[in-house]
Amino acid sequence: MPRIVFLPHEELCPEGAAVQVEPGISICDAALKNGIEIEHACEKSCACTTCHVYVREGLDSLNEPSEAEEDLLDKAWGLEPDSRLSCQARVGEEDLVVEIPRYTINQVSEQH
């Protein structure tokens, strides 16, 4: 079973976390299932960027991003080559190392 290592995040998981997951689960669902309250303002429907993460290791083992995900990622804060929307990135057979960005763009919580 693959393992996801979530790097420390000041608010969501200050100590970091390492969790065993079933292949096919999204990174977002894996985080939420393990008490890491990653934002997902669109309820995981690929309509926002609040669940944006960096996949520091294991990126190539994930499913390919859809065109819709790639279009949304262009709007994400702090976009990097290893960026994915965690609600769309499905775990394969390899271990992952995931970093949750310090900031996110959430139109609702930021009252825009």
Side-chain angles (χ1 to χ4, degrees):
M1 219 176 354
R3 181 173 84 136
I4 302 177
V5 173
F6 290 95
L7 297 176
H9 182 278
E10 187 176 312
E11 295 172 15
L12 302 178
C13 57
E15 304 298 318
V19 299
Q20 295 290 129
V21 298
E22 292 287 334
I25 192 171
S26 72
I27 293 172
C28 185
D29 284 337
L32 294 169
K33 186 176 182 179
N34 287 280
I36 301 169
E37 295 297 321
I38 192 167
E39 284 195 63
H40 53 288
C42 71
E43 294 301 318
K44 304 179 273 184
S45 65
C46 194
C48 73
T49 62
T50 59
C51 70
H52 168 232
V53 295
Y54 305 117
V55 182
R56 298 302 190 196
E57 293 180 22
L59 181 65
D60 291 339
S61 70
L62 300 173
N63 61 310
E64 290 292 320
S66 67
E67 189 173 321
E69 179 183 355
E70 288 180 338
D71 288 346
L72 280 169
L73 280 170
D74 288 340
K75 301 172 187 172
W77 180 90
L79 181 66
E80 293 187 9
D82 59 358
S83 291
R84 288 294 304 266
L85 296 182
S86 67
C87 71
Q88 300 300 301
R90 302 250 169 227
V91 177
E93 299 293 331
E94 292 181 28
D95 293 346
L96 303 174
V97 175
V98 174
E99 180 178 356
I100 301 168
R102 177 171 280 169
Y103 302 106
T104 187
I105 299 170
N106 186 334
Q107 302 289 339
V108 176
S109 70
E110 293 176 6
Q111 300 174 11
H112 289 147

